[in-house]
Amino acid sequence: MELTGFVDKVAKNKLLNKFSFGLKNIKDGETRLEASISTLQNPYQLKIVSPRLQEKIGSKEFTITADHQPGKQLTVTSSFQQFKFFFKHGPIADGKNYFAEISKAGVSFLKYDLNLTFKKNPSALNMGLNSQFDVNEASLFYPLFCNYGSGCFKQRKADISIFVDLVNKNALINKFDIHVNLLKDDEKVVELEVCTKHTPYKFILKAPYVLPKFIGQPSLRVEATHNLGQSLEVTTNFAKAKSFSVKKTSGNMREVKFNGKLLFKGEVTKGNKSFKQQIELANGQSMALTVSWKNDALDGSAVVTNDVKLNLAGNNVNADVEIEWDVSNPSDAEFEIEAKGTGRRLGQFEFKRKVDWNTNGNNFIASIIGKSSSEKGWFAEKGLNPVDTKINVDFDYNNMNLNANIVKVVAGKRYAVAVKNNNLDFSF
């Protein structure tokens, strides 16, 4: 057996130093196996020659070539069944296009075409995603997409648009508008609208193949009317939760109703930054809700920055929740939530998330740090407990360039996805 190898210590490809390796096995004067791999020149090539391949693939020779044009495209071809994988990306107006296709003998089996757009000026931010995914019925992958949602499809289209008003705000954040449409073989299977540009705010979700399994109806519509410091009224088309309202009645009295029934009534006074309310439940049990806050609830600024603590005790539940946020400057803001305690379904539990983001010039920088654990429940039963989360994102929207790290540690096992200059890397 002959082995050869060469590694160029100076010249590199995208990830590794250039190299070439070879193997040759001769037995009784006959070449049984000859293999080589080389990345010294583009296209790179892997070649295997063996008589045993004839029976398996109909040829003694099997080759794979990879033509890589850094920053533009990658083409991988195979001599067996004329398999081809093609991927390219490049700029379009206000964004970037990504295109990938898998074909065999000139016939397309999977094809994905994605356009991402991003446009920002002093008054508004517009983002968009438009994609088309085609699957050939003869593809081995076709049955995989039949097991969820509306079932099998040959073509799926997605259209997502996001608008953020950088000038006008609601109580907490800038006004925004989100639209999502998902079609399978030209049938609309998901439609989402979230709008806070005007009152009432709207949340509309239509998913006739998914929602009935969870809420027993094909759509969910929520409308909210908010008069800062006076009232919040929420109405829905969900039979079990038709309405919810918080109203200022007289003086500093607040009245909370659910489905038209009074839950509790209490007085909020300046300087008295807490209240405790007994809640009677339908099963005859009662729970005590205690709420306190750092910044005065009658001061409008408390809406954009505050630290609120809640305790819910009774009916076999004892839970503490703390929510802290500062969105006084939407370009440099943070939000943190922590919940811990005991309950019938989760046992001892803990959940924490800290989110902060910053828009600095042409870059959007964000991080999410969190942990979660429970003594009981689905995640504990499946051995997916505890879970630690760490996410860092740095997006240059002028150059449409993404750098990100997503790390999950589940039950002590680390899973990570990294994006470096729009290139993916996985580690487990």
Side-chain angles (χ1 to χ4, degrees):
M1 180 181 290
E2 296 179 15
L3 291 173
T4 59
F6 170 78
V7 178
D8 192 325
K9 292 185 177 181
V10 179
K12 290 186 176 182
N13 296 307
K14 183 67 175 177
L15 296 175
L16 303 171
N17 292 70
K18 294 185 177 183
F19 64 87
S20 68
F21 294 97
L23 180 151
K24 193 171 185 180
N25 183 24
I26 301 175
K27 188 174 182 180
D28 298 330
E30 181 185 357
T31 301
R32 298 293 182 90
L33 174 66
E34 188 173 0
S36 63
I37 182 171
S38 175
T39 66
L40 298 179
Q41 295 181 350
N42 194 36
Y44 314 141
Q45 186 180 75
L46 167 67
K47 185 176 182 180
I48 301 173
V49 180
S50 172
R52 294 186 177 183
L53 288 176
Q54 182 71 46
E55 194 176 314
K56 300 290 184 181
I57 65 172
S59 174
K60 295 180 181 180
E61 185 176 304
F62 172 70
T63 60
I64 295 177
T65 60
D67 183 356
H68 185 209
Q69 300 178 31
K72 294 182 179 180
Q73 65 183 49
L74 170 67
T75 305
V76 179
T77 57
S78 164
S79 61
F80 176 61
Q81 295 187 343
Q82 299 178 50
F83 169 88
K84 181 180 178 181
F85 169 76
F86 176 70
F87 172 77
K88 70 173 183 177
H89 60 92
I92 58 173
D94 299 321
K96 201 163 187 177
N97 170 260
Y98 296 86
F99 177 86
E101 184 176 24
I102 296 175
S103 61
K104 187 171 69 173
V107 178
S108 179
F109 279 79
L110 289 176
K111 184 164 61 176
Y112 187 67
D113 195 2
L114 169 68
N115 288 326
L116 295 175
T117 57
F118 189 100
K119 188 175 182 179
K120 182 182 179 184
N121 57 46
S123 61
L125 170 65
N126 286 277
M127 294 180 285
L129 180 153
N130 183 272
S131 70
Q132 180 172 313
F133 180 41
D134 294 285
V135 187
N136 192 314
E137 289 179 283
S139 168
L140 292 173
F141 298 100
Y142 181 77
L144 296 178
F145 303 103
C146 298
N147 298 323
Y148 71 94
S150 58
C152 304
F153 64 89
K154 291 183 287 185
Q155 185 181 84
R156 185 185 68 195
K157 293 181 179 179
D159 188 13
I160 300 173
S161 63
I162 301 173
F163 165 83
V164 181
D165 189 327
L166 299 180
V167 177
N168 301 300
K169 296 182 180 181
N170 296 305
L172 281 175
I173 58 176
N174 295 69
K175 295 183 177 184
F176 64 90
D177 192 11
I178 300 173
H179 289 267
V180 177
N181 286 293
L182 182 65
L183 292 86
K184 289 184 177 180
D185 295 331
D186 293 326
E187 179 189 5
K188 191 174 288 188
V189 294
V190 175
E191 184 178 359
L192 172 67
E193 178 185 354
V194 185
C195 182
T196 67
K197 290 196 298 183
H198 44 73
T199 300
Y201 309 148
K202 292 182 180 180
F203 175 92
I204 302 171
L205 176 61
K206 298 177 181 179
Y209 294 98
V210 177
L211 281 181
K213 299 175 183 178
F214 295 95
I215 63 173
Q217 58 189 58
S219 66
L220 178 62
R221 184 184 183 97
V222 181
E223 292 190 356
T225 302
H226 184 205
N227 296 311
L228 186 60
Q230 298 297 318
S231 66
L232 171 65
E233 296 182 64
V234 180
T235 59
T236 82
N237 69 335
F238 187 46
K240 295 181 180 180
K242 284 285 188 181
S243 64
F244 173 80
S245 67
V246 180
K247 290 184 179 180
K248 181 180 178 180
T249 54
S250 59
N252 294 323
M253 293 293 294
R254 297 295 189 274
E255 190 177 79
V256 179
K257 290 183 178 181
F258 179 71
N259 282 348
K261 295 182 179 180
L262 182 67
L263 285 184
F264 60 86
K265 182 188 291 186
E267 183 177 9
V268 179
T269 58
K270 193 168 184 177
N272 183 15
K273 301 176 181 177
S274 67
F275 72 83
K276 186 174 183 179
Q277 179 68 42
Q278 202 74 13
I279 303 172
E280 300 296 329
L281 303 176
N283 63 3
Q285 300 290 318
S286 65
M287 303 183 77
L289 173 66
T290 305
V291 182
S292 64
W293 52 93
K294 182 179 179 180
N295 296 328
D296 203 303
L298 298 181
D299 182 353
S301 64
V303 178
V304 294
T305 177
N306 219 328
D307 184 359
V308 178
K309 297 178 181 179
L310 304 93
N311 173 263
L312 188 63
N315 198 34
N316 298 315
V317 173
N318 191 347
D320 290 293
V321 179
E322 182 174 3
I323 307 172
E324 187 175 2
W325 68 90
D326 185 351
V327 292
S328 52
N329 178 7
S331 298
D332 187 8
E334 60 182 27
F335 174 86
E336 187 171 0
I337 182 171
E338 179 179 8
K340 58 184 178 180
T342 57
R344 287 176 297 173
R345 296 186 178 182
L346 297 178
Q348 192 83 21
F349 69 89
E350 181 180 16
F351 176 85
K352 293 180 70 174
R353 283 293 183 274
K354 183 178 180 182
V355 182
D356 58 71
W357 64 90
N358 175 270
T359 302
N360 182 12
N362 297 325
N363 287 69
F364 174 76
I365 301 170
S367 71
I368 302 173
I369 300 174
K371 61 186 295 187
S372 59
S373 64
S374 64
E375 188 180 15
K376 298 187 294 184
W378 188 87
F379 283 94
E381 292 170 1
K382 300 296 181 181
L384 305 174
N385 189 54
V387 179
D388 292 325
T389 302
K390 188 173 183 180
I391 301 173
N392 291 295
V393 176
D394 187 343
F395 181 61
D396 181 347
Y397 49 80
N398 261 15
N399 298 308
M400 295 298 290
N401 188 60
L402 176 65
N403 287 283
N405 282 291
I406 303 172
V407 179
K408 287 274 189 182
V409 180
V410 182
K413 190 170 183 180
R414 183 179 182 274
Y415 303 86
V417 177
V419 181
K420 186 175 181 180
N421 297 325
N422 294 329
N423 292 307
L424 274 173
D425 181 39
F426 298 88
S427 63
F428 301 95

